[in-house]
Each structure stands twice: as structure tokens, then as C-alpha cells.
Amino acid sequence: MKTAVKTTYAMLRHEVRLMASLVLWAARRTSGTGGPGVRFGYAKGQGAMMSGFAFMCAVETVAMSVLLRNWPAVERVALVLDVYTVLMVVGLHAASVVHPHLLTADALHVRSGVRVEQRIPLDSVKSVRGDTRYLHDKAAVAELDLPVGSQTSVTLELAEPVTHVSLLGRRREVSVVRFHADDATGLVRALNRALTQVRTAPSPSPDRPGSAVPAAARPVEEGSRPRSAL
């Protein structure tokens, strides 16, 4: 019973966040979660596919209205469900647009809409590389794959594992993270610069705790926000 309640709560929270993403998308804004940093979009690769899904749902809505026109009560129920389905499909795309990956001074936030928000501290990253893969097999236990259109374009190898919490609360340790970015080359370049700053930053003097903050700890200016149209 307790598990069922947690699952229901997680799904409702996910749907509410999808609706909030629709509002942000309509306002042409990105989520402020994570603070200042450089944002990298990943939604362009799924735009055509999600448009196709939304169109098919809209066609089904019209068809069901015609087929059920002699049963008004049933037609109204079907109409509500169909419209809600269209909103969910559009919301999935909107969530990917308004929740891009975020690189801050101390971490990379890897996202997949509102389903995944994985914070990876920069000092846990062993290596990063552009690595285009088309994924069809289930990921290994210690790997986190976040494909867009069955494709990932960036691979992170971690010096120490991080804990990934799924949408339904399942926890596991991952040491390899694969995800997609529209500008994979730019993300890899920016992340390597940030890693260099973290690894070469001088340690604060023990007798001067109030010394100047190193460059790696200064907030990165927010980059251009992604724009995508369904």
C-alpha cells in the first residue's frame, strides 16, 4: 500500500511538472533550477517525432468525436481523455526544451525533461568525450543512458560513482553516463575547460580562510537559452 501511494504521488508530481513546463515553454523561458550556468539543449533531435505523436493524437480525438457522436456522455469523456493525452505529449517535448543540461562552476546537471535531474560534481568526472551512439540494448547496471531518438552523443566516465534516483524512487550507483546534446562538441569543450579549472585551482591557504575565491568557483554566465518549436 505504501509503495502504491509513493508511485501515485511520483506520477502525479511528474504530470504537474509537465504542465508547468508547458507554461514556461509558452512564455519562451527556461527553468531557473540549478542557478546560473551555461545551458545546453537536447530537444531538437526529438522535435519531428513528438510533432508526429501530437498530430496522431489530435487526429484520434477528431475521429473519436465522430464515432461517438450518438453517445454524448461517452463522447465527452473520450474528448477529455484525448485532449489530456495531447497535452501530455506536448508537455513531454516542452519539458525537454525548458529543462536543458546545465554546467555550473562545480557540477554538470544532466537532464531528461522532468524525468531525470542528475547532478554530477565536476571533481567526480574522470573523462568526457563526444561519442555518438545509437542505443538499442538495455544499459549495464552501472550505466545511465539518456538517449534522444535512441541516440546519445556525449559519454562521461566517472572517477567515483554517483547515485541515480529514478522517477519512482529506485536508487542505484552509476559510473558511466551517456546523454545527448544538440551541441555535443560545445558541451564537451566547455566541460573540459571547467574540469581544467577545477583540477588546477590552487588550494586555499590554511592561514587565510578568507582568501579570494578561485575562478572555478565563480558562477558561469548563463548562456543563450534554447528555443525549440514543436
Side-chain angles (χ1 to χ4, degrees), residues 39-44 96-97 99-101 180-184 187 224 226:
R39 288 166 167 78
F40 295 90
Y42 53 88
K44 289 182 180 178
S96 297
V97 175
H99 293 87
H101 305 309
H180 178 68
D182 296 332
D183 182 14
L187 187 151
S224 58

Side-chain angles (χ1 to χ4, degrees), residues 115 135 137-139 143-147 152 172 176-178:
R115 181 177 62 89
L135 305 175
D137 298 327
K138 186 176 180 180
E143 296 181 358
L144 175 61
D145 289 347
L146 302 173
T152 61
R172 64 187 177 99
V176 176
V177 180
R178 296 189 178 93

Side-chain angles (χ1 to χ4, degrees), residues 104 106-110 116-123 162-163:
T104 66
D106 61 351
L108 174 66
H109 299 256
V110 179
V116 175
E117 167 79 39
Q118 183 64 53
R119 181 182 183 276
I120 303 174
L122 295 186
D123 54 13
V162 296
T163 302

Side-chain angles (χ1 to χ4, degrees), residues 126-185:
K126 179 180 179 181
S127 66
V128 55
R129 64 181 182 275
D131 182 22
T132 300
R133 295 191 178 203
Y134 293 90
L135 305 175
H136 301 285
D137 298 327
K138 186 176 180 180
V141 175
E143 296 181 358
L144 175 61
D145 289 347
L146 302 173
V148 174
S150 299
Q151 176 184 342
T152 61
S153 54
V154 179
T155 296
L156 287 179
E157 293 186 7
L158 307 182
E160 54 186 57
V162 296
T163 302
H164 170 65
V165 182
S166 71
L167 176 64
L168 299 181
R170 181 184 176 187
R171 304 172 71 90
R172 64 187 177 99
E173 302 295 308
V174 296
S175 55
V176 176
V177 180
R178 296 189 178 93
F179 59 97
H180 178 68
D182 296 332
D183 182 14
T185 300

